[in-house]
Structure formats: structure tokens, C-alpha cells
Amino acid sequence: MIGIIGAMDEEIHLFKKGMEHTEEKVKAGITYYVGEFQGKPIALCKSGVGKVNASVCSQILIDRFGVSGVIFTGVAGALDPTLEIGDIVISEDCQYHDLDASALGFEKGEIPFAQKSVFAADSKLIEIAMEASQEITEGKTMTGRIISGDQFVADRTTVTELHHQFNAACVEMEGAAIAHVCDMNDVPFVIVRSMSDKADGSADVNFLEFTKLASNRSYEIVARMLKKM
């Protein structure tokens, strides 16, 4: 069974519409839709926004539903200036950008005393995601680092700083937490993000307008991935 997570209703509603034999189960205030999508068993859920919600959701998928892999789908803000709205970033790896213990001598984004602070996505899932995206997406598809933090990034200066400091392609609020939990449990994962805004400081203007478009594009890619798995 594959776990599929979106942070918002827009990011999961097409999966819900396409599911069959669906059972709803609630745990920790999160509704899990367990059933089949295109003949494949999945557990689908809306995590809610932010790292804690994403972490709790991921651990429940692993512990209660025994998922063999996790795909996180949805929208993100572009950091790489070559990315356009609707372009796709497939996670090469993930890291927190708002973890800062630099006063203790650690690099920004480094988890103190931990063996790793960057969490690599599964190479096979990356390959499947890239193939699926390139088959159906006219725009750009790239692999890259996805960074996460509990803040909505809209400031042009912050966008530039994050891009250069972390060599990151895009920024959002959940992916690194899901990656962290999956890594701790030795469960393969990949994050598929469609850009809802450009790296130009206009995220607050573009976000609502383009979220539905970007969410639909992410859905199409993940649906194609499931056919290939």
C-alpha cells in the first residue's frame, strides 16, 4: 500500500474522487481514506499545513496502515529563478530551512547532534516521478532540494537567500518533516511539487490563484506514477 499525502483539500480532492472501495478512518484528528486508486491500494490523507501535522500524519501512515512508500503531492514556491508557475520539482532530498542552532556552532538547517540533516528521496521513486512528469507535463521538470519551514515565504530577499544558502529548488511547509519521518522508519518517499508562484517576491499574490492549477498538475503526475508502480 502506498501512502499519499497532501497538505490541503485542493491537493487530495481528485484522488478522493477517483478512489474505489473507500473506507474512512480517523486518527489524531486526521481522516485517512483507504481504498483503491486505479487498482492500486492506497491510503490517502490531508495532513494539514506545517511540519508537526506532516510528521504525525506520516508516522500514522507507517504504523497503522503499514505503507510501503510515501508520496507527498501538492504545491510549492519556486526558489530557483528558472522555474515558472506550473513547473515541477521532484525531491532529490529535503532539509529544514528554519532550524537554526548557529549560536551553538551548527550550520543553519543542521539538526544538532544528529547523524544527518538532509534526507534523500528514494532513487526508484524519483525515476518513476520524473518519467511520469515528463510524459504529461509541457513545462520544466527538475530534481532538486526541497526545503521546508513553518513560514510562508513571499519576500524576495528571503527567496534569494534561501536559494543560495541551501542550493534549493523550492520551498514549502511539510516535505522535510515527511522525509525525516520516512528516513527514521526506513520507508521510501518522494515529494512531487508543482510551482504555485515564481521566485519573484509575489507568492502572496499568486498563491491562491494558481494553487488549483498546480494541484491538478501534481495529481496528474502522481496518478501516472501509480500506473507505473
Side-chain angles (χ1 to χ4, degrees):
M1 180 180 289
I2 298 296
I4 299 177
I5 307 173
M8 302 180 295
D9 287 324
E10 294 88 348
E11 295 168 336
I12 69 165
H13 82 279
L14 289 175
F15 286 102
K16 285 168 63 178
K17 286 176 63 176
M19 287 182 72
E20 297 179 327
H21 314 298
T22 308
E23 261 188 280
E24 294 185 19
K25 301 183 180 182
V26 179
K27 181 71 174 176
I30 300 169
T31 302
Y32 296 83
Y33 304 91
V34 183
E36 292 185 0
F37 183 86
Q38 298 176 345
K40 302 287 176 63
I42 69 168
L44 171 73
C45 61
K46 180 186 76 172
S47 63
V49 174
K51 296 182 300 184
V52 172
N53 284 327
S55 300
V56 170
C57 172
S58 302
Q59 193 64 55
I60 290 171
L61 279 174
I62 294 166
D63 287 346
R64 182 161 180 179
F65 301 104
V67 297
S68 58
V70 172
I71 302 172
F72 190 77
T73 177
V75 303
L79 295 179
D80 186 323
T82 68
L83 287 167
E84 299 288 339
I85 290 169
D87 286 348
I88 304 298
V89 175
I90 310 297
S91 62
E92 184 176 298
D93 55 35
C94 299
Q95 187 176 11
Y96 303 115
H97 69 77
D98 61 347
L99 200 159
D100 187 357
S102 55
L104 300 176
F106 296 94
E107 295 291 328
K108 190 170 183 184
E110 183 180 0
I111 303 171
F113 315 115
Q115 290 186 339
K116 65 175 74 171
S117 300
V118 176
F119 306 102
D122 180 74
S123 59
K124 184 61 177 175
L125 289 177
I126 293 172
E127 181 183 335
I128 294 170
M130 284 293 291
E131 286 178 2
S133 182
Q134 289 168 345
E135 286 173 4
I136 63 176
T137 304
E138 293 182 2
K140 183 175 185 175
T141 298
M142 64 181 290
T143 59
R145 176 164 296 167
I146 297 177
I147 57 173
S148 309
D150 285 322
Q151 57 184 272
F152 186 88
V153 176
D155 175 70
R156 185 187 299 272
T157 301
T158 304
V159 164
T160 303
E161 288 175 353
L162 290 175
H163 176 54
H164 291 296
Q165 187 167 20
F166 292 96
N167 191 28
C170 65
V171 61
E172 34 87 301
M173 300 177 70
E174 299 86 24
I178 291 168
H180 193 169
V181 170
C182 287
D183 185 84
M184 292 175 73
N185 288 275
D186 199 25
V187 171
F189 77 91
V190 72
I191 314 294
V192 178
R193 290 295 203 179
S194 179
M195 300 302 101
S196 60
D197 60 86
K198 292 178 64 176
D200 59 1
S202 63
D204 54 335
V205 177
N206 292 337
F207 182 75
L208 293 177
E209 181 180 354
F210 291 106
T211 288
K212 185 174 182 180
L213 166 69
S215 296
N216 289 352
R217 191 156 291 175
S218 294
Y219 159 79
E220 291 170 359
I221 293 166
V222 176
R224 181 66 64 95
M225 286 179 67
L226 290 171
K227 285 185 178 179
K228 293 173 172 290
M229 293 172 67

